[in-house]
Amino acid sequence: CISGSEEFTDFDNWLMDTVGIQAVPAFIFIKDKKIYNFVDYTISEKDFNKELRNYRYNIALWENELQNIHGQSLQLSDYDVIYITEPGCGSCETQEELYQQQIYKKHNTLKFIQYQIKSVTCSGGCE
């Protein structure tokens, strides 16, 4: 992983500077157009469930539209959880292999969106 990439988008910078994301995988929990919690490390379903109920922050949600890979506009306020990964991140692969399907299955009423950040630090170190 490379830190300090010049390819960061405005949204990437907002995630790091305003929200405080320092590593991936990361989960941002949203309610009423506010970020009320986030974690930036590999997380099991049990810990995800705890963090889902933990209100630590009151950060205004990014208000600008984002576009998905098909060019469709998205509003983050339409989602409950932003799941942030980075291509090639070993910690993100671990999250996917060990925990992510269980999180999706047990929290199937939540609306998730996955976002791939350009470059940040892997929570378990880059492999």
Side-chain angles (χ1 to χ4, degrees):
C1 298
I2 301 166
S3 184
S5 169
E6 294 178 21
E7 298 178 27
F8 286 136
T9 65
D10 289 342
F11 183 65
D12 294 344
N13 287 322
W14 177 82
L15 288 169
M16 293 180 293
D17 299 340
T18 302
V19 179
I21 300 299
Q22 296 179 7
V24 289
F27 293 87
I28 297 175
F29 302 95
I30 302 168
K31 187 171 185 170
D32 299 325
K33 296 185 180 183
K34 300 276 186 181
I35 294 171
Y36 69 86
N37 197 9
F38 76 88
V39 295
D40 52 2
Y41 46 83
T42 305
I43 189 169
S44 68
E45 189 283 324
K46 181 179 176 182
D47 291 333
F48 179 93
N49 196 41
K50 286 180 195 173
E51 296 297 342
L52 184 63
R53 296 187 315 255
N54 193 353
Y55 287 74
R56 287 192 230 171
Y57 307 102
N58 187 24
I59 302 169
L61 192 59
W62 177 267
E63 292 185 14
N64 300 331
E65 287 184 350
L66 293 175
Q67 288 191 348
N68 68 13
I69 59 173
H70 305 292
Q72 298 164 318
S73 295
L74 305 171
Q75 287 289 339
L76 293 180
S77 58
D78 293 338
Y79 298 90
D80 302 305
V81 180
I82 306 170
Y83 171 40
I84 303 168
T85 60
E86 178 182 347
C89 167
S91 296
C92 298
E93 290 172 12
T94 299
Q95 179 71 39
E96 286 293 327
E97 290 171 11
L98 298 180
Y99 307 117
Q100 202 55 33
Q101 292 310 310
Q102 186 178 19
I103 288 172
Y104 287 146
K105 184 177 179 179
K106 294 217 176 178
H107 299 278
N108 61 4
T109 60
L110 296 177
K111 287 184 71 178
F112 286 80
I113 185 170
Q114 185 172 352
Y115 178 77
Q116 288 193 338
I117 197 165
K118 298 288 186 200
S119 179
V120 74
T121 303
C122 301
S123 63
C126 300
E127 300 169 10

